[in-house]
Amino acid sequence: VQLVESGGGSVQAGGSLRLSCAASGFTYSVYYMAWFRQAPGKEREGIASVDTGGVTRYADSVKGRFTISQDRAKNTLYLQMNSLKPEDTAMYYCAAALVCFRPPPLHPTHYNYWGQGTQVTVS
């Protein structure tokens, strides 16, 4: 199983970034997917999730600014991040969960597979 994030970087406040997560080694279509982030000294935070039917869920901290999407044909998950703030600075991870309830969860304990992360720095 592999989840490989990309697209992180440094951006000024108010800017945008698009993260990607390429998945392989498991049946992507039956898994819920999510984005998490973790800043130094803080707990890992679930920020956006999507279930197999396309239902999405967002943390209040990113609602209206971030959009989760996926291309099932490419087994790829995306996170479009707009109006970035310094407090969005963190390592961002994608994750996959084999669950079947709604709304799609944002707690890390539900997620089976994790990527290595991509750093986002907002100044």
Side-chain angles (χ1 to χ4, degrees), residues 32 49-58 68-70 72 102 104:
Y32 289 17
S49 58
V50 58
D51 70 13
T52 55
V55 174
T56 58
R57 182 182 184 183
Y58 296 92
I68 188 171
S69 63
Q70 55 187 343
R72 289 189 172 276
R102 286 183 174 175

Side-chain angles (χ1 to χ4, degrees), residues 25-78:
F26 64 99
T27 308
Y28 182 91
S29 61
V30 302
Y31 278 74
Y32 289 17
M33 300 297 295
W35 287 98
F36 291 79
R37 67 185 181 186
Q38 189 167 19
K42 294 189 176 181
E43 291 187 353
R44 190 164 294 192
E45 174 192 19
I47 56 174
S49 58
V50 58
D51 70 13
T52 55
V55 174
T56 58
R57 182 182 184 183
Y58 296 92
D60 288 344
S61 57
V62 305
K63 199 173 294 182
R65 299 188 299 123
F66 291 10
T67 303
I68 188 171
S69 63
Q70 55 187 343
D71 184 336
R72 289 189 172 276
K74 296 182 178 179
N75 287 1
T76 302
L77 181 73
Y78 303 100

